[in-house]
Amino acid sequence: MHWLSMNGESDPNGALVQRVDNRGNNLVNNYPSAYKEQSLNGTPELGPDINMLGQVSTMLNGPVPFFPELKFFVTGRYLNTLDQLPWGYNKEREVNGKLTYGWGSVKLNLSSQRFYRIYKPYAHQWKYLPEGYEVRKDFSWRDNLKISHILTPGTFYEASASYQRRYFNRYQPGKYATFSSDGVLLASNYRVKNSNTPPFWTGTDNGIYIRNEVETIILKGDFNSQIGQHNLLKTGFELRQYAIDRLSFQQPYPSGFHAYEKYVKNPLEVSAFIQDNIEFDICIINAGVRFDYADVDDSRWASVRVPAGYVNDQKIWVPVGEVNTPTKQQISPRLGIAFPMSERTVFYSSYGHFFQLPDYVDMYTLRDPTLDGAIVGNPGILPQKTVAFEFGVKHNVTTDYIIELSAYSKDITNLTGSTYLTVFPYEYTVFDNSNYGGVQGFEIGLSKRQSDYWFADLKYTYSVAKGNESDPREGYNDYRRASALLRPKRVFLLAFDREHVFYGTFGLEFPKEFGPSVFDLYPLENFSLNVVVRASTGLPYTPQAPDESNTLLIEKNSGRMSSDQRVDLRLSRTIRFTDFKLTLFGIVNNLFDEINALNVWATSGDPLDAGPSYSRTRDRMRVPSNVDIRRSIQAGIRLDF
C-alpha cells in the first residue's frame, strides 16, 4: 500500500526514506516514512478495547421489569478513528443511563454519564518521531439526582444535586519524572531536547506533562409560579464547589526549564436570579437580575509590581507576605421586550450584563518571578464583564416561511491579558485585566418548516470582532523585554473574527409508499437527504515580510486567510420489517474536498506554501494540520426493535 505525501513523494509502507533540504543537504536519513499504513496496534488500551475502526452506538429504553412505573433509558457509544494526517488516532467510549419515576405531582430523575477518550494529536515537527510526542486522556463522570414537584397548576419547583469529575492528562507512555515538594528534579527517563530547533525532531521527547483533575459538587434549585393573569415569576440559585488538583512540568531533565507546578484548590461559585415574565396583549416584558459570587481560595501579591517572597539558600523562591484574595461579585440586570407590530410580525429586543470568571489556570499559575521567562499567576484578576444588546424583527411570510432580521452589540471589558514587568532584580509577565474587545453585527435568516416533503434554514451573518489582543498569553508571547514597548494600545481585528458567514441546511423526507412503485416496492419511501452548507471569510492573520531582516512593521491581523467553503451530506433509507426496522445511511463530510485553512504561513498567507524565501525543506513547509478535514466518507447501519 502506498500513501502520497503532501510533498509529492510516494513512500512505500514503512520504507526508510531520506529527506534533503533545498540545497541538497541531508536532513533526515534512514527514518521510517510517516506516510505508512496506520493501525491501532500499540496504542493505549481503553477497555473494552477492540482493534476495529468505526463507531457503534446503541440505545435501549422502556419500563423496568416488574416495576412498570419506573422507566429507564440507556445509550452507549464506541468509537475508534485514525487521523487523515500522517499519524494520530482517537478512541472514545461513552455510556449514559437514566431512571425516571413519577407518582402524582412528583417526578424523580436519576442520571449517570461516563465518557472516556484517549487520543494522539498530530504535530508536524514530530512527523518522523511520533513516539516522542504526547498522548492525551480526557475522562469525565457525571451523576445527577433531580426532583420536580408541581404544587399547583401554575406553580412548580425543581431541585437537583450533581457530582461531576473531569480528568485530563497529557503524558508520554513509558516516561516518568519525579520532583521534590519544592520542584527539584529527582529522577527522569525523558530524553533531552536540544536547544536548537531542527526541522523535525529526532532522538528526543516532547517533555510536557499535565494532569488536571477537577471534582465539582453542584446544588441547583428553580421555582416558577404564575401570579395572576399577567406575571410568571421565576427564581433560582446554583452552587458549585470545586476541588482542583493539578500537576504539570516540562523539560524534565537537569538542563531543562521545569516550570513545575503542583497545587490543590477549592474555589466556590454561587449564583442566584429572579425574573418576572410579564405578558399583556400589546407586549411581553422579561425583567430580571442575577447575582454572581466567587471565592477563588488562594492568596495573592498585594501588588503585581511587588513580588511577595524571597530566594532561599537553595535558590528556591519562597512565598512570604501574600494577602488574601477578595471575593468576586457582580449584580447583572437583564431586560427583554417583545411586542407585535402586526398579526405576522413581532419586534423584540434585549439588554443584559453578564459575568464570567477568568480561567483558574491563569489565576493559579506558579508565582515565581525568578524563573527565566516567568509568567506569574494572579488570583486577583477581575471577572470578565460583557454588556450585550440585541434587537430584531421576526415576520411570518406565510404559514411555512419565516424571515428574521436581528442586530447585536457586545462590549467586553476586564478580559484576561498578560503584561511584562521589570522589578529589580526580576523581570516577569503577570496575568491582569489589560484586554478588552467588542463584537457588533447583524443576522438575516429565512426558514421554511417541513411541508411538501422538504425544509430549509438559511442564515447570513455580518460581524466585526475587535479588541487589543486575542489571547490572554499574547502579551507574554509577543511583547516581552525589548518588544514590550511595541505593545499596541488600540483595537485590531481579533483572531476569531469572520466578517461574513453563511450557513444553510436543506432536507428532504419522503414518507411510506412515496413515489413510483416497482413490483409493489417504493424505492423512495422512507428516504431522507440532509445537506449542510457553510461558507465564510477566512480568519485574520498578521503578515510578515518575506525577508526576516526587513524592519517594516505590518499591522496586526491585517491579512485574511482564504475563504472557507464546506458542504456536508447525509443520506438514509429505512426499511421496515414486522418486528424491527433497518436504516442504511451514508455521511460525506466536505463533499467537494475543499482545502480550508486553519493556519497559514505569515510570509505568504498560504497554509502549505511559505513562499520562495523559505529556506527549509518542502516536507517541513507543507504542514498538513494547517488545513481542515478533507473529504471523508462514512457508511452505517441502524437497527430499531
Side-chain angles (χ1 to χ4, degrees), residues 527-543:
F527 170 84
S528 70
L529 175 148
N530 286 274
V531 180
V532 178
V533 180
R534 304 177 183 89
S536 66
T537 50
L539 295 170
Y541 75 97
T542 303

Side-chain angles (χ1 to χ4, degrees), residues 442-482:
F442 66 86
E443 182 174 283
I444 301 173
L446 173 65
S447 60
K448 179 193 176 296
R449 71 177 183 87
Q450 185 169 341
S451 62
D452 299 327
Y453 313 120
W454 69 282
F455 65 90
D457 188 13
L458 308 176
K459 289 183 180 179
Y460 165 76
T461 302
Y462 172 84
S463 66
V464 177
K466 288 188 174 184
N468 62 323
E469 291 173 359
S470 302
D471 184 87
R473 292 177 180 258
E474 191 170 324
Y476 174 76
N477 294 330
D478 298 342
Y479 306 112
R480 283 187 292 154
R481 297 184 174 134

Side-chain angles (χ1 to χ4, degrees), residues 498 536-539 560-565 595-597 600 605 607:
R498 290 189 186 272
S536 66
T537 50
L539 295 170
R560 280 274 184 192
M561 301 182 194
S562 57
S563 60
D564 289 358
Q565 303 91 30
I595 296 180
N596 295 316
V600 296

Side-chain angles (χ1 to χ4, degrees), residues 105-281:
S105 60
V106 178
K107 180 186 286 187
L108 279 176
N109 286 303
L110 177 62
S111 60
S112 185
Q113 179 188 52
R114 300 292 183 268
F115 175 78
Y116 308 94
R117 182 188 184 200
I118 293 181
Y119 63 104
K120 189 182 184 79
Y122 177 73
H124 192 52
Q125 278 196 279
W126 298 88
K127 177 178 176 179
Y128 300 103
L129 190 66
E131 65 274 14
Y133 196 63
E134 65 195 45
V135 173
R136 300 180 184 180
K137 291 182 179 179
D138 191 355
F139 299 167
S140 64
W141 301 258
R142 185 179 184 275
D143 299 302
N144 181 70
L145 176 63
K146 178 181 177 181
I147 182 172
S148 303
H149 185 192
I150 300 174
L151 300 175
T152 68
T155 303
F156 70 93
Y157 70 85
E158 294 180 341
S160 63
S162 301
Y163 170 79
Q164 298 180 8
R165 181 183 170 207
R166 177 82 180 271
Y167 176 87
F168 179 77
N169 190 197
R170 292 173 59 178
Y171 72 102
Q172 196 172 330
K175 299 297 180 178
Y176 72 88
T178 56
F179 291 81
S180 66
S181 59
D182 50 11
V184 176
L185 179 65
L186 302 177
S188 171
N189 69 342
Y190 282 84
R191 293 174 293 183
V192 175
K193 197 172 184 180
N194 296 327
S195 57
N196 295 324
T197 304
F200 295 101
W201 291 109
T202 60
T204 187
D205 293 316
N206 189 36
I208 294 178
Y209 180 91
I210 296 175
R211 176 190 52 76
N212 201 65
E213 187 169 358
V214 181
E215 294 182 272
T216 311
I217 295 175
I218 305 172
L219 301 177
K220 185 177 181 181
D222 293 286
F223 177 82
N224 295 260
S225 182
Q226 184 71 45
I227 302 174
Q229 185 178 357
H230 302 293
N231 297 79
L232 175 60
L233 182 68
K234 300 179 181 180
T235 186
F237 75 92
E238 182 175 273
L239 180 149
R240 290 175 173 261
Q241 178 67 67
Y242 297 94
I244 302 175
D245 186 350
R246 182 178 175 88
L247 169 64
S248 66
F249 57 79
Q250 61 187 21
Q251 299 180 12
Y253 31 81
S255 60
F257 172 61
H258 302 150
Y260 178 82
E261 281 189 322
K262 181 174 174 57
Y263 57 77
V264 176
K265 302 294 180 183
N266 297 279
L268 172 69
E269 299 176 15
V270 180
S271 63
F273 74 93
I274 185 168
Q275 175 184 314
D276 190 9
N277 183 288
I278 308 168
E279 293 192 24
F280 296 101
D281 292 337

Side-chain angles (χ1 to χ4, degrees), residues 492-526:
F492 303 88
L493 291 175
L494 295 174
F496 55 83
D497 174 75
R498 290 189 186 272
E499 193 173 32
H500 304 280
V501 177
F502 173 80
Y503 178 85
T505 61
F506 172 82
L508 287 173
E509 293 187 5
F510 297 146
K512 184 179 180 181
E513 297 182 354
F514 175 85
S517 63
V518 180
F519 302 110
D520 293 329
L521 298 176
Y522 294 84
L524 294 179
E525 72 172 348
N526 301 319

Side-chain angles (χ1 to χ4, degrees), residues 591-602:
L591 176 65
F592 299 109
D593 198 25
E594 297 285 351
I595 296 180
N596 295 316
L598 297 175
N599 194 19
V600 296
W601 290 99

